[in-house]
Amino acid sequence: MSIVGIEELEFGVEDLDVAKRFLDDFGLSAVGSDAQGRDAFETLNGGRLSVAGVDHPSLPPAFEEGSTLRRMTWGVADGEALEALKARLADRPGYVDQGDAIQCTDPNGMTVRIRVTGLRDVQLEVTPINQWGDMRRVDAPSPVYERATPASIGHAVFFVDDLEATEAFYRDTLGFAVSDRYTDRAVFLRMQARGGHHNLFLLKLPHRGRGLNHVAFTVRDIHEVIGGGLAMNRKQWSTFLGPGRHPISSAYFWYVNSPLGGAFEYYTNEDYLTEAWVPREMQHSLESFTEWAIEGGIDAETRRQKKAEA
């Protein structure tokens, strides 16, 4: 298990100004232009998101039309791990050895880059929660967030054409572990045997070809999920779904429709798994996807569910 983090997401977009405004409102920090002249943004731990026009020469070919993710970079722990993967990936389509990084195309058409991690450790103050018989927050209220500041890029979700081949690439070649799966429909994969429930979710739908479903960003707690979603609504970005809770990973979430393609998600409280975890197999259904969720989000002014006519 050598993959340790999501380093970078590179997007090609049809409206660059709108995309940059979205990323700023979402809570990512603008860090200027990168070496290719693209606008770059970061999470607190240094996970990077770069954005450029769809025809920018630095971007690899798109695996779907319109604004979408064009390249995903994963980090490994050290140079030794990178060298080991060079040998394993050398015969993959699109393989390029860039010296300090390697690149290939996965079976779903996504360009994948791997380099030694540059992510930073981040220490954040997280307010305890009170539960029956376990009172950890004493003489102090829970926080209220006016916006979210994502700590890291947590996972990506792709629609796939060939679920079996794409899963095999990440599981057998890159060493990902299976966390859970929907029978003949989807698989949740994590980078390490010990870690959050999933860093990659592959989903095959009967009438949807390959493409980006969403990318997700970790935040401190449920309060920051709510604060982030409300802030995006106040900025006139529409909610796809949320707030809500996934029973399969236990995570609280809020999805916002994104002009970069797919959706962007704030999430927290996902399950932490180890080598002892036995993957579950279940049927894909609305109930297995979400225990509860507010369609259309919460009204940013009244903090109540939006009415249907809105």
Side-chain angles (χ1 to χ4, degrees):
M1 299 287 184
S2 58
I3 304 293
V4 298
I6 299 174
E7 303 286 314
E8 185 173 5
L9 304 174
E10 298 171 60
F11 284 85
V13 300
E14 295 177 321
D15 192 324
L16 187 57
D17 289 337
V18 171
K20 290 191 293 183
R21 180 164 59 86
F22 175 88
L23 296 174
D24 182 67
D25 290 344
F26 194 76
L28 300 176
S29 297
V31 292
S33 298
D34 64 14
Q36 289 76 37
R38 304 170 306 187
D39 293 280
F41 296 78
E42 284 190 353
T43 61
L44 292 175
N45 78 338
R48 178 163 289 211
L49 193 151
S50 64
V51 59
V54 291
D55 296 324
H56 197 281
S58 71
L59 296 174
F63 72 157
E64 64 177 335
E65 295 294 325
S67 300
T68 192
L69 182 64
R70 301 284 283 272
R71 180 161 41 212
M72 186 170 188
T73 298
W74 300 88
V76 293
D78 51 37
E80 182 178 351
L82 182 62
E83 290 299 319
L85 282 177
K86 286 182 179 183
R88 301 179 72 177
L89 293 172
D91 62 348
R92 297 296 310 179
Y95 178 80
V96 179
D97 186 343
Q98 301 169 331
D100 60 350
I102 51 177
Q103 179 174 295
C104 68
T105 304
D106 78 7
N108 199 43
M110 171 53 58
T111 299
V112 176
R113 178 185 285 163
I114 300 169
R115 66 182 183 223
V116 175
T117 185
L119 299 178
R120 306 182 288 263
D121 289 333
V122 176
Q123 300 297 321
L124 298 175
E125 181 178 348
V126 180
T127 303
I129 62 172
N130 289 343
Q131 303 179 105
W132 181 259
D134 186 20
M135 298 298 163
R136 302 189 183 192
R137 193 183 69 255
V138 179
D139 296 330
S142 291
V144 175
Y145 293 92
E146 291 303 316
R147 65 179 300 181
T149 307
S152 70
I153 304 170
H155 65 258
V157 178
F158 296 109
F159 297 113
V160 299
D161 288 333
D162 189 331
L163 179 59
E164 184 177 353
T166 309
E167 176 188 341
F169 171 76
Y170 287 97
R171 184 193 64 226
D172 300 336
T173 304
L174 296 187
F176 282 54
V178 173
S179 297
D180 288 307
R181 70 171 72 246
Y182 294 131
T183 304
D184 298 325
R185 180 65 63 87
V187 61
F188 295 86
L189 298 153
R190 62 191 189 276
M191 301 176 297
Q192 300 276 325
R194 290 177 176 259
H197 183 270
H198 62 280
N199 306 105
L200 188 64
F201 177 40
L202 307 174
L203 175 63
K204 182 176 181 178
L205 296 180
H207 306 295
R208 175 61 160 91
R210 66 186 185 182
L212 174 67
N213 178 274
H214 74 269
V215 292
F217 298 79
T218 53
V219 295
R220 274 171 257 220
D221 53 26
I222 180 61
H223 311 298
E224 194 171 9
V225 169
I226 300 296
L230 289 173
M232 292 299 282
N233 283 178
R234 286 194 296 269
K235 295 286 189 177
Q236 304 304 307
W237 301 109
S238 63
T239 292
F240 169 59
L241 190 67
R245 177 184 179 271
H246 293 305
I248 197 168
S249 68
S250 302
Y252 300 115
F253 64 79
W254 193 317
Y255 296 85
V256 182
N257 291 308
S258 163
L260 287 80
F264 274 43
E265 176 192 5
Y266 299 116
Y267 78 101
T268 193
N269 191 52
E270 69 174 328
D271 296 328
Y272 185 86
L273 307 181
T274 73
E275 300 89 342
W277 177 257
V278 178
R280 298 166 294 180
E281 184 149 342
M282 59 198 80
Q283 295 299 312
H284 182 266
S285 66
L286 179 62
E287 292 76 16
S288 64
F289 171 74
T290 178
E291 181 180 25
W292 59 272
I294 299 174
E295 189 172 359
I298 297 173
D299 184 271
E301 303 302 326
T302 65
R303 298 204 174 195
R304 296 188 183 275
Q305 186 169 5
K306 295 180 179 179
K307 294 182 179 180
E309 60 267 24

